[in-house]
Amino acid sequence: MHEIPKILIIDDEEIVRDSCIHILAKSDYKIVTARDGAEGLEILEDFQPDLALVDLKMPGLSGYEVLEKIHEYDPTIVTIVITGFATVDAAVESMKKGTYDFLPKPFKPDELRLIVQRGLERRRMVIETITLRKEKELLREHFAAIVSHELKSPLGAVQQNLFVLADDLADKLTDEQKTMVERLQTRIKDMVTMINTWLRVISVDISKIREDFKPTSIDTIVTKAVGSVESHAIRKDIAIKHKLNPSLPQVSGNEGTLVEAITNILNNAVKYTRVGGKIEISTIKSNGSISINITDNGVGIDEEDIPHIFNDFYSGKARPEGERSSGVGLAITKRIIEAHDGTISVESTLGEGSAFSIQLPALEMTNNFIDPD
Ligand SMILES: Nc1ncnc2c1ncn2[C@@H]1O[C@H](COP(=O)(O)OP(=O)(O)OP(=O)(O)O)[C@@H](O)[C@H]1O
Ligand SMILES: [Mg+2]
């Protein structure tokens, strides 16, 4: 957003252009006008407006075409339509093309001032959001670099030296000293695990996941995910019911990360379900997408926690004894599912259990990839 907001007025009627300039003159704006769409579009690149007022009915290029071109050039430019034939249809049509608001002619000075002010406020917010998003991305990258170089490498060296030292001194240490060294090794191992978890959150790179998409079987993904939590479930005497569904279409995806996403949900289901509990996984196709539903009869999620459980580093009130809880599993899962153009949602009742549902776009049956193995 420019310090002095820039406004482009495109209208074939001189009287409208002049009255807009006159009405807006008291505010600190830079205003440029154009007599038709072609002239307006020519000015666009040089002028870089924050807001454009566009007449819908002009000779030559229509207002609709001009709006489309402006949005194509820079979707953050706020556009406001001015029109003599103020019909709801015209308003709806221009709004569909991303127009911010609508001003019927003739308009009162205050109406124009207000709509421009609101439009510029909107532009400010959009620019701020984009800047914040970029900053967050940069922060993420910097954090990853700091964590890996400044923390992980030296810690790895300490861990290595400690191994060597413990080995060299094995005969000389008292039992008490040995216990101390073991404690040190455990603490350092935990820290390395924690750093690796952080790095995993930061390094789930959506564009990289997308580069590697292949037709992938949901049955394979779920089977692999179940396999990785099975021993944990057996230890807690939790039954995992999963019926294969070979008639399901495949999805276009990255098998490794999809297995990771489902594993995270299953890990939670096991972690937050009491001994002797039950987990059920079902997969169905509906309306061009595949749903993977994972339900448990565990402790359930507190209503206050539900809006936050997919956020980075958020752990809810449910804290199982003796189990690690970094609060990143579902954040990673959500990012992976969204990279696959899918969605994830949850329903849960405290004390009764939780149901996670993932929707992924199905590949058409004709596109199915037949794995020669
Ligand atoms: N099936 C579930 N039943 C009850 N609570 C759950 C369930 N799944 C998630 N939660 C709640 O959501 C929170 C966030 O889950 P998430 O998997 O992101 O983190 P976590 O399990 O705490 O840690 P980790 O990073 O080790 O997975 C959990 O702390 C827990 O409170
Ligand atoms: Mg988890």
Side-chain angles (χ1 to χ4, degrees), residues 264-265 267-268 271-272 324-330:
N264 287 346
I265 298 179
N267 253 329
N268 285 346
K271 187 156 79 166
Y272 301 107
R324 182 179 285 279
S325 201
S326 326
V328 298
L330 289 178

Side-chain angles (χ1 to χ4, degrees), residues 81-136:
V81 155
I82 328 173
T83 183
F85 52 101
T87 64
V88 174
D89 285 355
V92 170
E93 215 32 58
S94 58
M95 296 294 204
K96 270 192 215 157
K97 295 205 190 298
T99 297
Y100 170 66
D101 212 340
F102 195 77
L103 188 65
K105 282 194 254 186
F107 46 81
K108 294 188 190 126
D110 274 348
E111 284 172 344
L112 176 67
R113 281 189 205 109
L114 191 69
I115 210 168
V116 165
Q117 264 170 24
R118 279 190 13 229
L120 288 171
E121 193 46 45
R122 157 97 190 161
R123 159 93 169 161
R124 202 166 288 127
M125 274 166 57
V126 170
I127 301 281
E128 259 174 37
T129 310
I130 292 172
T131 314
L132 277 175
R133 213 174 286 151
K134 276 191 196 145
E135 276 173 7
K136 199 175 155 197

Side-chain angles (χ1 to χ4, degrees), residues 48-331:
Q48 301 278 340
D50 294 298
L51 183 144
L53 288 157
V54 180
D55 183 15
L56 266 196
K57 207 175 170 209
M58 291 184 287
L61 277 179
S62 78
Y64 293 126
E65 287 170 290
V66 175
L67 288 168
E68 208 162 50
K69 290 258 157 45
I70 295 179
H71 295 149
E72 229 174 72
Y73 173 70
D74 179 354
T76 68
I77 296 176
V78 171
T79 51
I80 294 168
V81 155
I82 328 173
T83 183
F85 52 101
T87 64
V88 174
D89 285 355
V92 170
E93 215 32 58
S94 58
M95 296 294 204
K96 270 192 215 157
K97 295 205 190 298
T99 297
Y100 170 66
D101 212 340
F102 195 77
L103 188 65
K105 282 194 254 186
F107 46 81
K108 294 188 190 126
D110 274 348
E111 284 172 344
L112 176 67
R113 281 189 205 109
L114 191 69
I115 210 168
V116 165
Q117 264 170 24
R118 279 190 13 229
L120 288 171
E121 193 46 45
R122 157 97 190 161
R123 159 93 169 161
R124 202 166 288 127
M125 274 166 57
V126 170
I127 301 281
E128 259 174 37
T129 310
I130 292 172
T131 314
L132 277 175
R133 213 174 286 151
K134 276 191 196 145
E135 276 173 7
K136 199 175 155 197
E137 255 333 288
L138 270 179
L139 205 69
R140 191 181 276 281
E141 280 166 25
H142 282 157
F143 189 54
I146 290 168
V147 168
S148 55
H149 297 128
E150 309 292 329
L151 283 178
K152 204 181 159 192
S153 313
L155 211 55
V158 172
Q159 196 176 27
Q160 186 57 45
N161 284 331
L162 203 59
F163 273 133
V164 175
L165 208 63
D167 199 46
D168 285 354
L169 298 175
D171 305 333
K172 300 181 187 92
L173 293 180
T174 65
D175 283 350
E176 202 180 332
Q177 285 168 329
K178 271 186 195 155
T179 312
M180 274 169 72
V181 171
E182 274 163 21
R183 254 192 235 139
L184 267 177
Q185 283 175 322
T186 310
R187 291 298 292 273
I188 290 175
K189 193 165 151 256
D190 284 350
M191 279 173 84
V192 171
T193 309
M194 188 179 73
I195 290 171
N196 285 337
T197 309
W198 286 356
L199 283 175
R200 184 67 195 124
V201 183
I202 300 158
S203 64
V204 182
D205 184 333
I206 288 178
S207 50
K208 285 224 180 80
I209 295 177
R210 285 204 172 127
E211 274 168 20
D212 195 26
F213 274 14
K214 286 192 190 94
T216 305
S217 145
I218 294 291
D219 270 353
T220 307
I221 289 163
V222 177
T223 307
K224 285 190 177 174
V226 170
S228 65
V229 300
E230 224 159 26
S231 59
H232 191 186
I234 290 171
R235 260 183 277 131
K236 284 184 79 175
D237 189 27
I238 291 172
I240 302 182
K241 204 170 129 198
H242 166 223
K243 222 169 101 200
L244 292 174
N245 186 355
S247 67
L248 270 189
Q250 292 176 307
V251 296
S252 174
N254 172 287
E255 188 181 293
T257 55
L258 283 176
V259 171
E260 182 180 355
I262 308 292
T263 304
N264 287 346
I265 298 179
L266 286 174
N267 253 329
N268 285 346
V270 176
K271 187 156 79 166
Y272 301 107
T273 296
R274 298 176 199 93
V275 172
K278 203 169 63 187
I279 297 169
E280 275 187 44
I281 309 163
S282 69
T283 48
I284 46 163
K285 182 185 175 226
S286 68
N287 294 333
S289 65
I290 294 173
S291 315
I292 308 168
N293 304 299
I294 299 167
T295 57
D296 64 61
N297 63 350
V299 297
I301 308 170
D302 194 290
E303 225 174 280
E304 280 178 20
D305 285 333
I306 287 186
H308 311 290
I309 58 170
F310 295 103
N311 295 347
D312 288 348
F313 304 111
Y314 187 88
S315 277
K317 294 193 183 70
R319 292 281 166 88
E321 254 175 58
E323 300 211 43
R324 182 179 285 279
S325 201
S326 326
V328 298
L330 289 178

